[in-house]
């Protein structure tokens, strides 16, 4: 079975709730998952897994959260060819750039050679039960795509 790492940042708990629901989906589909807060991870960890899930809320007017910046910089020298990846995060439509952190991470993963196999999953603020089910399905679909 392919191994998967999930690295995420969450300030208010919204992205963490998404991460937990995605993890449930991954595990229900039989995926082997390691979850880490971005504060407890180094970018090089991404090279050790077949699948990569990154989660970040969008800060301010479209920036990555501060706690994600060192990790993002660590990613610069990585070679992620052959890796499959997906990105998720909580967003706030009150800002002009909706979920830009998700888009930024997708761009970086693609630049480093990873194949982003799912569209970025963006949830408005706190995930509803319906959003959490979408997150579980996101996790299941990611595992299925890793098996291909």
């Amino acid at each position: 079975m392919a191994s998967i790492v999930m690295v995420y940042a969450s300030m208010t708990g919204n992205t963490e709730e998404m991460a937990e629901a995605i993890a449930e989906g991954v595990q229900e589909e039989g995926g082997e998952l390691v979850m880490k807060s971005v504060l407890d991870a180094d970018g090089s960890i991404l090279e050790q897994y077949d699948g990569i899930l990154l989660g970040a809320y969008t800060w301010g007017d479209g920036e990555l959260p501060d706690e994600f910046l060192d990790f993002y910089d660590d990613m610069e020298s990585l070679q992620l060819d052959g890796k499959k990846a997906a990105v998720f995060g909580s967003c706030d439509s009150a800002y002009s750039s909706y979920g830009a952190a998700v888009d930024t991470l997708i761009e970086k993963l693609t630049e480093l050679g990873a194949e982003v196999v799912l569209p970025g999953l963006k949830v408005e603020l706190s995930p509803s039960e319906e959003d959490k089910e979408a997150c579980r399905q996101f996790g299941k679909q990611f595992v299925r795509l890793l098996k291909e």
Side-chain angles (χ1 to χ4, degrees), residues 44-57:
S44 63
I45 194 173
L46 302 182
E47 292 181 315
Q48 301 168 27
Y49 294 85
D50 303 308
I52 300 165
L53 292 167
L54 297 181
Y57 61 94

Side-chain angles (χ1 to χ4, degrees), residues 5-80:
V5 65
M6 178 191 292
V7 178
Y8 68 94
S10 186
M11 183 191 322
T12 61
N14 296 340
T15 303
E16 184 173 17
E17 282 186 60
M18 291 179 71
E20 289 167 355
I22 291 168
E24 288 172 18
V26 166
Q27 292 160 347
E28 286 172 17
E29 199 64 29
E32 295 177 20
L33 178 69
V34 172
M35 286 179 70
K36 290 198 168 279
S37 163
V38 72
L39 296 173
D40 298 326
D42 181 270
S44 63
I45 194 173
L46 302 182
E47 292 181 315
Q48 301 168 27
Y49 294 85
D50 303 308
I52 300 165
L53 292 167
L54 297 181
Y57 61 94
T58 299
W59 181 247
D61 207 24
E63 294 87 38
L64 282 172
D66 285 347
E67 63 267 35
F68 222 105
L69 296 177
D70 288 341
F71 186 88
Y72 185 82
D73 289 343
D74 288 346
M75 291 173 64
E76 198 58 47
S77 62
L78 301 181
Q79 285 294 326
L80 300 180

